[in-house]
Amino acid sequence: MTDVLPPAMAPAYSRRRFVRGLALGAAALGAGAAGALAAELEEATRGGERKLGVALMGLGMYAGGQLGPALRLTKLCRLAGVVTGSRAKGAQWSRRYGFPERNVWDYDDMGGMAGNPDIDIVYVVTPNGLHAEHALMAAAAGKHVICEKPMANSVAECDTMIRACAGAKVLLSIGYRLRFDPHHLELDRLAREKDFGALTRMSGEFSWTFGQRAWRIERSLSGGGPLMDVGIYVIQAACRGAMAQPLAVTARELPKTNPELFNEVEEGIEWTMEFPAGVTCRGLSSYVRGADWFRAEGDKGWIQIDPAYIYGGLRVVTSRGPMDLPAVPQQSLQMDDFASCILTGRPTPVPGSMGRDHMAIIEAIYRSAAEGGRRTEVRRA
Ligand code: NAD
């Protein structure tokens, strides 16, 4: 599962493999988006151009296991500081990644970051319920913002974040790393080019076993259970397959096998999304089983990604047979793409508005489940 991938399973990328990955990714996409990205990176790095400085805010599992290492492979940005509740941990990070210890900030005291030219981007990697507050602090310091998924605990918070970033004239993007993975880009291509006809029947599940008392099952910090944590990946894939936002949803919370532990959030949930033109997607997400796949079918064929959402080792099979798509360092590509958006003025493909759209779907799913599975319309922006 994404959040707890053991180090041995995490792909270890060398710089050479990364560059090869970029080239292969570009090849897999033809002369499309990845080709343009590779060309942009080439252009922007020529002559040792300055890299944008990233400050990671929140040094937990994802920052330590994935984003820090990924920032060693980026071409357009580098780790230049951290925001943490532990000065000792910050000092450790400064030694490990070679940035000055003065670039370690406390959550309560980010004031000094505003005038610090080392930091261009703050990457918010704290619990979901703190994303809005932390993104607002970053915007107030005049820094561009990447915010982890889910964007926040509510649509209202997402709207506040979008307004704050626009007001501060900084860019806002969401940590949707799969937007840059060739396996999911193949789903985009099939949706767009309709090799198999329109992808009208979709389904997917992302579940993992999570059994400890931690912020992920405390409503104020998590906003919900597995739907917020990982079900959101199925939602994202479905919106890509449909190339649209769903009109309505129906949902049902699964019976709890451990009601004492999951006393604030759902233990498992299943839902159906209705998109325009009769397109549907059934989704499931749970904290008491493991599953990681997505499938989309058209009248002339199908695509299945399995596993679909982890950091590496994704596989695509279609009705034409298995595909050999390259593994890429998803987080490095995601951060470099955001840096290139800042450098070139190109809009990010994973903007705050996308995070907000997904949050509107999640709110509708929870509303439907709370109202006995009633068909519930998804709020428009
Ligand atoms: P984690 O619990 O390992 O880390 C959370 C960090 O936030 C810790 O450093 C903790 O000290 C800090 N923190 C600050 N204030 C806190 C508070 N009041 N309570 C608890 N912790 C506090 O969590 P994580 O797995 O690193 O997840 C962090 C964020 O990243 C979440 O939003 C999660 O959804 C997201 N995430 C994304 C992916 C991905 O693949 N894109 C993977 C994992 C996590």
PDB file of all heavy atoms in Angstrom, residues 253-277:
ATOM      1  N   GLU A 253     -21.762   2.225   3.572  1.00  0.00           N
ATOM      2  CA  GLU A 253     -20.652   1.888   4.456  1.00  0.00           C
ATOM      3  C   GLU A 253     -20.698   0.391   4.728  1.00  0.00           C
ATOM      4  O   GLU A 253     -21.772  -0.176   4.913  1.00  0.00           O
ATOM      5  CB  GLU A 253     -20.785   2.682   5.762  1.00  0.00           C
ATOM      6  CG  GLU A 253     -19.521   2.645   6.580  1.00  0.00           C
ATOM      7  CD  GLU A 253     -19.571   3.536   7.827  1.00  0.00           C
ATOM      8  OE1 GLU A 253     -20.171   4.623   7.760  1.00  0.00           O
ATOM      9  OE2 GLU A 253     -18.995   3.120   8.838  1.00  0.00           O
ATOM     10  N   LEU A 254     -19.537  -0.291   4.730  1.00  0.00           N
ATOM     11  CA  LEU A 254     -19.509  -1.734   4.973  1.00  0.00           C
ATOM     12  C   LEU A 254     -19.614  -1.990   6.479  1.00  0.00           C
ATOM     13  O   LEU A 254     -19.149  -1.167   7.284  1.00  0.00           O
ATOM     14  CB  LEU A 254     -18.213  -2.332   4.409  1.00  0.00           C
ATOM     15  CG  LEU A 254     -18.024  -2.115   2.900  1.00  0.00           C
ATOM     16  CD1 LEU A 254     -16.673  -2.654   2.431  1.00  0.00           C
ATOM     17  CD2 LEU A 254     -19.154  -2.766   2.113  1.00  0.00           C
ATOM     18  N   PRO A 255     -20.212  -3.109   6.858  1.00  0.00           N
ATOM     19  CA  PRO A 255     -20.349  -3.405   8.299  1.00  0.00           C
ATOM     20  C   PRO A 255     -18.976  -3.440   8.971  1.00  0.00           C
ATOM     21  O   PRO A 255     -18.012  -3.943   8.379  1.00  0.00           O
ATOM     22  CB  PRO A 255     -21.000  -4.790   8.324  1.00  0.00           C
ATOM     23  CG  PRO A 255     -21.533  -5.018   6.952  1.00  0.00           C
ATOM     24  CD  PRO A 255     -20.762  -4.163   6.006  1.00  0.00           C
ATOM     25  N   LYS A 256     -18.894  -2.922  10.208  1.00  0.00           N
ATOM     26  CA  LYS A 256     -17.593  -2.868  10.900  1.00  0.00           C
ATOM     27  C   LYS A 256     -17.283  -4.204  11.582  1.00  0.00           C
ATOM     28  O   LYS A 256     -18.125  -4.735  12.296  1.00  0.00           O
ATOM     29  CB  LYS A 256     -17.604  -1.744  11.937  1.00  0.00           C
ATOM     30  CG  LYS A 256     -17.530  -0.376  11.291  1.00  0.00           C
ATOM     31  CD  LYS A 256     -17.455   0.759  12.287  1.00  0.00           C
ATOM     32  CE  LYS A 256     -17.406   2.058  11.472  1.00  0.00           C
ATOM     33  NZ  LYS A 256     -17.502   3.266  12.203  1.00  0.00           N
ATOM     34  N   THR A 257     -16.071  -4.708  11.341  1.00  0.00           N
ATOM     35  CA  THR A 257     -15.630  -5.903  12.058  1.00  0.00           C
ATOM     36  C   THR A 257     -14.893  -5.496  13.329  1.00  0.00           C
ATOM     37  O   THR A 257     -14.720  -6.295  14.231  1.00  0.00           O
ATOM     38  CB  THR A 257     -14.677  -6.749  11.188  1.00  0.00           C
ATOM     39  OG1 THR A 257     -13.542  -5.941  10.844  1.00  0.00           O
ATOM     40  CG2 THR A 257     -15.359  -7.220   9.905  1.00  0.00           C
ATOM     41  N   ASN A 258     -14.424  -4.238  13.385  1.00  0.00           N
ATOM     42  CA  ASN A 258     -13.709  -3.742  14.571  1.00  0.00           C
ATOM     43  C   ASN A 258     -14.247  -2.353  14.950  1.00  0.00           C
ATOM     44  O   ASN A 258     -13.555  -1.339  14.775  1.00  0.00           O
ATOM     45  CB  ASN A 258     -12.202  -3.689  14.273  1.00  0.00           C
ATOM     46  CG  ASN A 258     -11.378  -3.438  15.525  1.00  0.00           C
ATOM     47  OD1 ASN A 258     -11.922  -3.073  16.573  1.00  0.00           O
ATOM     48  ND2 ASN A 258     -10.066  -3.629  15.429  1.00  0.00           N
ATOM     49  N   PRO A 259     -15.483  -2.321  15.465  1.00  0.00           N
ATOM     50  CA  PRO A 259     -16.114  -1.026  15.733  1.00  0.00           C
ATOM     51  C   PRO A 259     -15.403  -0.220  16.817  1.00  0.00           C
ATOM     52  O   PRO A 259     -15.517   1.007  16.836  1.00  0.00           O
ATOM     53  CB  PRO A 259     -17.541  -1.401  16.173  1.00  0.00           C
ATOM     54  CG  PRO A 259     -17.513  -2.853  16.472  1.00  0.00           C
ATOM     55  CD  PRO A 259     -16.371  -3.459  15.740  1.00  0.00           C
ATOM     56  N   GLU A 260     -14.663  -0.889  17.685  1.00  0.00           N
ATOM     57  CA  GLU A 260     -13.955  -0.142  18.739  1.00  0.00           C
ATOM     58  C   GLU A 260     -12.830   0.697  18.142  1.00  0.00           C
ATOM     59  O   GLU A 260     -12.634   1.851  18.505  1.00  0.00           O
ATOM     60  CB  GLU A 260     -13.363  -1.105  19.769  1.00  0.00           C
ATOM     61  CG  GLU A 260     -14.327  -1.411  20.891  1.00  0.00           C
ATOM     62  CD  GLU A 260     -13.857  -2.552  21.749  1.00  0.00           C
ATOM     63  OE1 GLU A 260     -12.635  -2.670  21.985  1.00  0.00           O
ATOM     64  OE2 GLU A 260     -14.731  -3.335  22.178  1.00  0.00           O
ATOM     65  N   LEU A 261     -12.088   0.095  17.222  1.00  0.00           N
ATOM     66  CA  LEU A 261     -10.984   0.834  16.593  1.00  0.00           C
ATOM     67  C   LEU A 261     -11.533   1.894  15.621  1.00  0.00           C
ATOM     68  O   LEU A 261     -11.112   3.054  15.655  1.00  0.00           O
ATOM     69  CB  LEU A 261     -10.059  -0.130  15.838  1.00  0.00           C
ATOM     70  CG  LEU A 261      -8.797   0.495  15.248  1.00  0.00           C
ATOM     71  CD1 LEU A 261      -7.890   1.034  16.343  1.00  0.00           C
ATOM     72  CD2 LEU A 261      -8.024  -0.517  14.402  1.00  0.00           C
ATOM     73  N   PHE A 262     -12.486   1.492  14.799  1.00  0.00           N
ATOM     74  CA  PHE A 262     -13.021   2.424  13.793  1.00  0.00           C
ATOM     75  C   PHE A 262     -14.268   3.108  14.347  1.00  0.00           C
ATOM     76  O   PHE A 262     -15.352   3.010  13.791  1.00  0.00           O
ATOM     77  CB  PHE A 262     -13.295   1.672  12.484  1.00  0.00           C
ATOM     78  CG  PHE A 262     -12.054   1.058  11.903  1.00  0.00           C
ATOM     79  CD1 PHE A 262     -11.830  -0.312  11.979  1.00  0.00           C
ATOM     80  CD2 PHE A 262     -11.077   1.853  11.320  1.00  0.00           C
ATOM     81  CE1 PHE A 262     -10.668  -0.877  11.472  1.00  0.00           C
ATOM     82  CE2 PHE A 262      -9.911   1.298  10.808  1.00  0.00           C
ATOM     83  CZ  PHE A 262      -9.704  -0.072  10.894  1.00  0.00           C
ATOM     84  N   ASN A 263     -14.093   3.795  15.479  1.00  0.00           N
ATOM     85  CA  ASN A 263     -15.260   4.417  16.114  1.00  0.00           C
ATOM     86  C   ASN A 263     -15.507   5.838  15.612  1.00  0.00           C
ATOM     87  O   ASN A 263     -16.536   6.417  15.884  1.00  0.00           O
ATOM     88  CB  ASN A 263     -15.121   4.400  17.648  1.00  0.00           C
ATOM     89  CG  ASN A 263     -13.877   5.143  18.122  1.00  0.00           C
ATOM     90  OD1 ASN A 263     -12.990   5.427  17.321  1.00  0.00           O
ATOM     91  ND2 ASN A 263     -13.807   5.469  19.386  1.00  0.00           N
ATOM     92  N   GLU A 264     -14.572   6.401  14.850  1.00  0.00           N
ATOM     93  CA  GLU A 264     -14.775   7.766  14.328  1.00  0.00           C
ATOM     94  C   GLU A 264     -14.919   7.808  12.807  1.00  0.00           C
ATOM     95  O   GLU A 264     -15.436   8.776  12.264  1.00  0.00           O
ATOM     96  CB  GLU A 264     -13.602   8.675  14.735  1.00  0.00           C
ATOM     97  CG  GLU A 264     -13.524   8.919  16.235  1.00  0.00           C
ATOM     98  CD  GLU A 264     -12.503   9.998  16.591  1.00  0.00           C
ATOM     99  OE1 GLU A 264     -12.160  10.826  15.731  1.00  0.00           O
ATOM    100  OE2 GLU A 264     -12.041   9.987  17.751  1.00  0.00           O
ATOM    101  N   VAL A 265     -14.404   6.775  12.133  1.00  0.00           N
ATOM    102  CA  VAL A 265     -14.429   6.794  10.658  1.00  0.00           C
ATOM    103  C   VAL A 265     -14.923   5.452  10.147  1.00  0.00           C
ATOM    104  O   VAL A 265     -14.977   4.473  10.899  1.00  0.00           O
ATOM    105  CB  VAL A 265     -13.024   7.069  10.064  1.00  0.00           C
ATOM    106  CG1 VAL A 265     -12.496   8.419  10.519  1.00  0.00           C
ATOM    107  CG2 VAL A 265     -12.046   5.942  10.409  1.00  0.00           C
ATOM    108  N   GLU A 266     -15.239   5.396   8.843  1.00  0.00           N
ATOM    109  CA  GLU A 266     -15.664   4.117   8.269  1.00  0.00           C
ATOM    110  C   GLU A 266     -14.500   3.131   8.243  1.00  0.00           C
ATOM    111  O   GLU A 266     -13.348   3.525   8.100  1.00  0.00           O
ATOM    112  CB  GLU A 266     -16.232   4.331   6.853  1.00  0.00           C
ATOM    113  CG  GLU A 266     -15.213   4.448   5.716  1.00  0.00           C
ATOM    114  CD  GLU A 266     -14.611   5.852   5.572  1.00  0.00           C
ATOM    115  OE1 GLU A 266     -14.896   6.708   6.406  1.00  0.00           O
ATOM    116  OE2 GLU A 266     -13.837   6.042   4.602  1.00  0.00           O
ATOM    117  N   GLU A 267     -14.858   1.855   8.371  1.00  0.00           N
ATOM    118  CA  GLU A 267     -13.842   0.796   8.244  1.00  0.00           C
ATOM    119  C   GLU A 267     -13.702   0.410   6.769  1.00  0.00           C
ATOM    120  O   GLU A 267     -12.626   0.066   6.291  1.00  0.00           O
ATOM    121  CB  GLU A 267     -14.283  -0.406   9.078  1.00  0.00           C
ATOM    122  CG  GLU A 267     -13.340  -1.580   9.053  1.00  0.00           C
ATOM    123  CD  GLU A 267     -13.930  -2.780   9.796  1.00  0.00           C
ATOM    124  OE1 GLU A 267     -14.010  -2.745  11.038  1.00  0.00           O
ATOM    125  OE2 GLU A 267     -14.302  -3.769   9.120  1.00  0.00           O
ATOM    126  N   GLY A 268     -14.827   0.499   6.068  1.00  0.00           N
ATOM    127  CA  GLY A 268     -14.842   0.184   4.639  1.00  0.00           C
ATOM    128  C   GLY A 268     -16.066   0.815   4.011  1.00  0.00           C
ATOM    129  O   GLY A 268     -17.063   1.073   4.699  1.00  0.00           O
ATOM    130  N   ILE A 269     -15.988   1.072   2.701  1.00  0.00           N
ATOM    131  CA  ILE A 269     -17.118   1.733   2.033  1.00  0.00           C
ATOM    132  C   ILE A 269     -17.125   1.332   0.561  1.00  0.00           C
ATOM    133  O   ILE A 269     -16.052   1.094  -0.030  1.00  0.00           O
ATOM    134  CB  ILE A 269     -17.001   3.273   2.208  1.00  0.00           C
ATOM    135  CG1 ILE A 269     -18.282   3.980   1.763  1.00  0.00           C
ATOM    136  CG2 ILE A 269     -15.775   3.846   1.519  1.00  0.00           C
ATOM    137  CD1 ILE A 269     -18.397   5.406   2.315  1.00  0.00           C
ATOM    138  N   GLU A 270     -18.320   1.198  -0.001  1.00  0.00           N
ATOM    139  CA  GLU A 270     -18.401   0.962  -1.446  1.00  0.00           C
ATOM    140  C   GLU A 270     -19.325   2.007  -2.045  1.00  0.00           C
ATOM    141  O   GLU A 270     -20.244   2.489  -1.369  1.00  0.00           O
ATOM    142  CB  GLU A 270     -18.866  -0.463  -1.749  1.00  0.00           C
ATOM    143  CG  GLU A 270     -20.221  -0.816  -1.223  1.00  0.00           C
ATOM    144  CD  GLU A 270     -20.581  -2.274  -1.478  1.00  0.00           C
ATOM    145  OE1 GLU A 270     -19.737  -3.047  -1.959  1.00  0.00           O
ATOM    146  OE2 GLU A 270     -21.731  -2.634  -1.183  1.00  0.00           O
ATOM    147  N   TRP A 271     -19.055   2.353  -3.276  1.00  0.00           N
ATOM    148  CA  TRP A 271     -19.826   3.427  -3.885  1.00  0.00           C
ATOM    149  C   TRP A 271     -19.894   3.249  -5.399  1.00  0.00           C
ATOM    150  O   TRP A 271     -19.083   2.526  -5.992  1.00  0.00           O
ATOM    151  CB  TRP A 271     -19.200   4.793  -3.531  1.00  0.00           C
ATOM    152  CG  TRP A 271     -17.877   5.048  -4.185  1.00  0.00           C
ATOM    153  CD1 TRP A 271     -17.655   5.706  -5.363  1.00  0.00           C
ATOM    154  CD2 TRP A 271     -16.571   4.637  -3.715  1.00  0.00           C
ATOM    155  NE1 TRP A 271     -16.300   5.738  -5.635  1.00  0.00           N
ATOM    156  CE2 TRP A 271     -15.628   5.094  -4.656  1.00  0.00           C
ATOM    157  CE3 TRP A 271     -16.117   3.927  -2.606  1.00  0.00           C
ATOM    158  CZ2 TRP A 271     -14.251   4.860  -4.511  1.00  0.00           C
ATOM    159  CZ3 TRP A 271     -14.748   3.699  -2.450  1.00  0.00           C
ATOM    160  CH2 TRP A 271     -13.841   4.163  -3.404  1.00  0.00           C
ATOM    161  N   THR A 272     -20.860   3.921  -6.001  1.00  0.00           N
ATOM    162  CA  THR A 272     -20.969   3.962  -7.459  1.00  0.00           C
ATOM    163  C   THR A 272     -21.028   5.415  -7.901  1.00  0.00           C
ATOM    164  O   THR A 272     -21.737   6.220  -7.283  1.00  0.00           O
ATOM    165  CB  THR A 272     -22.251   3.228  -7.936  1.00  0.00           C
ATOM    166  OG1 THR A 272     -22.165   1.863  -7.505  1.00  0.00           O
ATOM    167  CG2 THR A 272     -22.372   3.258  -9.453  1.00  0.00           C
ATOM    168  N   MET A 273     -20.250   5.731  -8.929  1.00  0.00           N
ATOM    169  CA  MET A 273     -20.263   7.092  -9.482  1.00  0.00           C
ATOM    170  C   MET A 273     -20.996   7.054 -10.830  1.00  0.00           C
ATOM    171  O   MET A 273     -20.737   6.160 -11.646  1.00  0.00           O
ATOM    172  CB  MET A 273     -18.833   7.582  -9.714  1.00  0.00           C
ATOM    173  CG  MET A 273     -18.095   7.873  -8.428  1.00  0.00           C
ATOM    174  SD  MET A 273     -16.354   8.311  -8.740  1.00  0.00           S
ATOM    175  CE  MET A 273     -15.616   6.710  -8.698  1.00  0.00           C
ATOM    176  N   GLU A 274     -21.865   8.003 -11.048  1.00  0.00           N
ATOM    177  CA  GLU A 274     -22.564   8.141 -12.347  1.00  0.00           C
ATOM    178  C   GLU A 274     -21.992   9.346 -13.068  1.00  0.00           C
ATOM    179  O   GLU A 274     -22.102  10.473 -12.582  1.00  0.00           O
ATOM    180  CB  GLU A 274     -24.047   8.426 -12.126  1.00  0.00           C
ATOM    181  CG  GLU A 274     -24.840   7.325 -11.491  1.00  0.00           C
ATOM    182  CD  GLU A 274     -26.254   7.821 -11.160  1.00  0.00           C
ATOM    183  OE1 GLU A 274     -26.752   8.763 -11.838  1.00  0.00           O
ATOM    184  OE2 GLU A 274     -26.828   7.297 -10.214  1.00  0.00           O
ATOM    185  N   PHE A 275     -21.419   9.077 -14.226  1.00  0.00           N
ATOM    186  CA  PHE A 275     -20.861  10.152 -15.055  1.00  0.00           C
ATOM    187  C   PHE A 275     -21.839  10.471 -16.188  1.00  0.00           C
ATOM    188  O   PHE A 275     -22.778   9.701 -16.424  1.00  0.00           O
ATOM    189  CB  PHE A 275     -19.518   9.708 -15.633  1.00  0.00           C
ATOM    190  CG  PHE A 275     -18.422   9.535 -14.602  1.00  0.00           C
ATOM    191  CD1 PHE A 275     -18.219   8.311 -13.981  1.00  0.00           C
ATOM    192  CD2 PHE A 275     -17.605  10.603 -14.256  1.00  0.00           C
ATOM    193  CE1 PHE A 275     -17.212   8.150 -13.038  1.00  0.00           C
ATOM    194  CE2 PHE A 275     -16.591  10.443 -13.317  1.00  0.00           C
ATOM    195  CZ  PHE A 275     -16.400   9.222 -12.703  1.00  0.00           C
ATOM    196  N   PRO A 276     -21.606  11.544 -16.927  1.00  0.00           N
ATOM    197  CA  PRO A 276     -22.458  11.823 -18.095  1.00  0.00           C
ATOM    198  C   PRO A 276     -22.422  10.652 -19.083  1.00  0.00           C
ATOM    199  O   PRO A 276     -21.480   9.854 -19.075  1.00  0.00           O
ATOM    200  CB  PRO A 276     -21.822  13.082 -18.710  1.00  0.00           C
ATOM    201  CG  PRO A 276     -21.071  13.724 -17.586  1.00  0.00           C
ATOM    202  CD  PRO A 276     -20.612  12.605 -16.690  1.00  0.00           C
ATOM    203  N   ALA A 277     -23.423  10.572 -19.936  1.00  0.00           N
ATOM    204  CA  ALA A 277     -23.527   9.581 -21.024  1.00  0.00           C
ATOM    205  C   ALA A 277     -23.585   8.143 -20.507  1.00  0.00           C
ATOM    206  O   ALA A 277     -23.107   7.216 -21.170  1.00  0.00           O
ATOM    207  CB  ALA A 277     -22.361   9.753 -22.015  1.00  0.00           C
TER     208      ALA A 277
END
